[in-house]
């Protein structure tokens, strides 16, 4: 059991059975290994030097998802907000069960974000991000606190890039009968299928999904995701050929075959947080591989 810290990242390990690396830039989980097997997709072109959001792992989306044009308070912010492009503080270890489990925390406040981000949003806040590694699971939990004297709105999302053997064989379950905003078809409908499969670009926001979500490969579940009631929305994304071509940091271009993003969050509606109030949402991903 150990924690190793450098200037740029923190690595947790439970012997040689499980490990996790978190980049301070974005508090981005860049690697999660179970029995030496990597569980997350990280693009070979991902930029890890703190100049661009990481293409892979688990970037944190806050306080805005996407780039909505109709919400004044967040309209100046870049896509997916500033949490993924700010350098977080490592707060240390919070829990440990030797040989079984280890938790650490990271924090972000106005003093950690750029002047540009401050001028684009301008509210006081505290984020505390807790990551917990066990032998077969990873829990990410975000606590959001409004330390301002004014109320503010936010979206939040764990933008998890799962590593999968082959997208043609993958299905996402648990989204049946959920209303979808489909960004590719530019339409909204209720999901009819029990298994969401992929044969082209998929970019969908499933709103108010209540069931746990699983990722299957060739009909066998490989990841199971449980989440707290606060994370009611699920985004499913695969860029496929054309979008992958358009992202300079997506390498190799064929790597969309080996990834799928299944992103738990609260993004379909704004969360309003009053001064002094807090909000917490978490997901637990179990690797069944
Ligand atoms: C997904 C969005 O969550 O993130 C997509 O639904 C977007 O629309 C994708 O393309 C990646 O975003 P970015 O900013 O990391 O390129």
């Amino acid at each position: 059991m150990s924690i190793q810290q450098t200037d740029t990242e923190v690595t947790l390990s439970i012997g040689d059975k499980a490990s996790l690396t978190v980049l301070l830039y974005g508090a981005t989980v860049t690697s999660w290994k179970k029995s030496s097997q990597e569980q997350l997709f990280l693009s070979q072109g991902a930029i890890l030097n703190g100049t661009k959001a990481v293409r892979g792992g688990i970037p944190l989306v806050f306080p805005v998802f996407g780039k909505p044009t109709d919400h004044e308070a967040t309209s100046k912010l870049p896509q997916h907000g500033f949490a993924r492009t700010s350098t977080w503080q490592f707060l240390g270890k919070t829990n440990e069960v030797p040989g079984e489990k280890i938790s650490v925390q990271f924090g972000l406040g106005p003093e950690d974000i750029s002047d540009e981000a401050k001028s684009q949003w301008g509210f006081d806040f505290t984020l505390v991000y807790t990551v917990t590694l066990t032998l077969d699971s990873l829990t990410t939990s975000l606590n959001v606190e409004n330390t301002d004297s004014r109320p503010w709105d936010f979206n939040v999302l764990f933008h998890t890039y799962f590593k999968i053997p082959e997208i043609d064989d993958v299905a996402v379950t648990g989204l049946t009968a959920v209303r979808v905003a489909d960004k590719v078809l530019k339409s909204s409908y209720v999901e009819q299928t029990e298994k969401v499969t992929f044969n082209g670009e998929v970019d969908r926001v499933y709103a108010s999904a209540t069931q746990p979500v699983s990722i299957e490969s060739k009909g066998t579940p490989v990841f199971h995701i449980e989440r707290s009631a606060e994370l009611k929305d699920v985004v499913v994304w695969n860029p496929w050929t054309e979008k992958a071509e358009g992202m300079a940091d997506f390498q190799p271009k064929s790597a969309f075959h080996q990834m799928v993003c299944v992103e738990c969050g609260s993004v379909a509606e704004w969360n309003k947080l009053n001064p002094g109030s807090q909000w917490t949402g978490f997901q637990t991903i179990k690797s069944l591989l």
Side-chain angles (χ1 to χ4, degrees):
M1 195 85 113
S2 77
I3 302 178
Q4 284 178 335
Q5 189 185 356
T6 69
D7 288 347
T8 55
E9 63 188 24
V10 175
T11 299
L12 314 180
S13 51
I14 307 178
D16 56 4
K17 297 198 176 102
S19 69
L20 185 78
T21 299
V22 185
L23 199 65
L24 295 179
Y25 182 70
T28 314
V29 175
T30 53
S31 168
W32 167 34
K33 288 183 182 161
K34 176 187 162 193
S35 304
S36 308
Q37 293 295 311
E38 182 58 57
Q39 306 293 313
L40 299 176
F41 169 81
L42 181 66
S43 162
Q44 288 176 23
I47 295 165
L48 303 174
N49 66 3
T51 56
K52 189 182 187 309
V54 176
R55 180 68 62 203
I58 313 182
L60 286 172
V61 170
F62 175 91
V64 62
F65 171 70
K67 197 142 181 34
T69 48
D70 55 351
H71 186 257
E72 206 189 325
T74 56
S75 60
K76 297 193 188 75
L77 285 168
Q79 160 133 318
H80 295 344
F82 54 73
R84 66 176 183 163
T85 52
S86 301
T87 299
W88 291 55
Q89 296 177 37
F90 179 48
L91 304 177
K93 182 171 73 177
T94 55
N95 190 9
E96 179 172 354
V97 180
E100 286 179 27
K101 181 177 173 176
I102 184 161
S103 299
V104 292
Q105 286 187 326
F106 301 84
L108 190 79
E111 65 281 12
D112 304 311
I113 70 174
S114 67
D115 290 343
E116 192 185 11
K118 248 179 255 176
S119 70
Q120 288 166 337
W121 199 53
F123 295 105
D124 282 345
F125 66 96
T126 301
L127 300 184
V128 176
Y129 185 43
T130 308
V131 294
T132 302
L133 177 70
T134 75
L135 294 175
D136 63 357
S137 73
L138 168 61
T139 298
T140 63
S141 174
L142 189 69
N143 179 266
V144 181
E145 183 177 1
N146 182 349
T147 49
D148 205 285
S149 54
R150 301 158 292 172
W152 40 256
D153 294 336
F154 69 100
N155 294 151
V156 67
L157 175 109
F158 300 121
H159 198 306
T160 311
Y161 288 74
F162 290 90
K163 185 174 159 122
I164 42 124
E166 166 55 53
I167 192 73
D168 293 344
D169 299 330
V170 158
V172 179
T173 63
L175 297 168
T176 319
V178 178
R179 180 153 287 278
V180 191
D182 190 319
K183 295 201 217 170
V184 177
L185 297 179
K186 297 187 174 47
S187 68
S188 171
Y189 51 88
V190 174
E191 184 61 76
Q192 303 296 328
T193 180
E194 281 184 17
K195 297 190 181 208
V196 175
T197 54
F198 301 82
N199 53 21
E201 182 190 356
V202 169
D203 191 354
R204 300 181 192 157
V205 180
Y206 288 86
S208 298
T210 51
Q211 300 299 312
V213 173
S214 291
I215 301 173
E216 295 181 356
S217 177
K218 292 189 173 167
T220 303
V222 288
F223 293 104
H224 186 66
I225 313 164
E226 302 265 355
R227 59 200 194 281
S228 65
E230 290 78 12
L231 302 183
K232 47 191 188 317
D233 308 322
V234 179
V235 177
V236 179
W237 181 59
N238 183 291
W240 217 257
T241 323
E242 222 171 282
K243 281 278 161 66
E245 282 295 335
M247 291 185 280
D249 60 352
F250 195 93
Q251 299 289 349
K253 293 301 171 196
S254 60
F256 69 85
H257 282 281
Q258 272 75 55
M259 55 79 56
V260 65
C261 284
V262 178
E263 314 160 23
C264 298
S266 180
V267 297
E269 287 172 2
W270 292 100
N271 293 291
K272 189 186 179 93
L273 206 56
N274 285 319
S277 295
Q278 297 190 28
W279 176 101
T280 303
F282 69 87
Q283 67 171 2
T284 295
I285 307 167
K286 192 163 185 176
S287 165
L288 308 166
L289 285 172

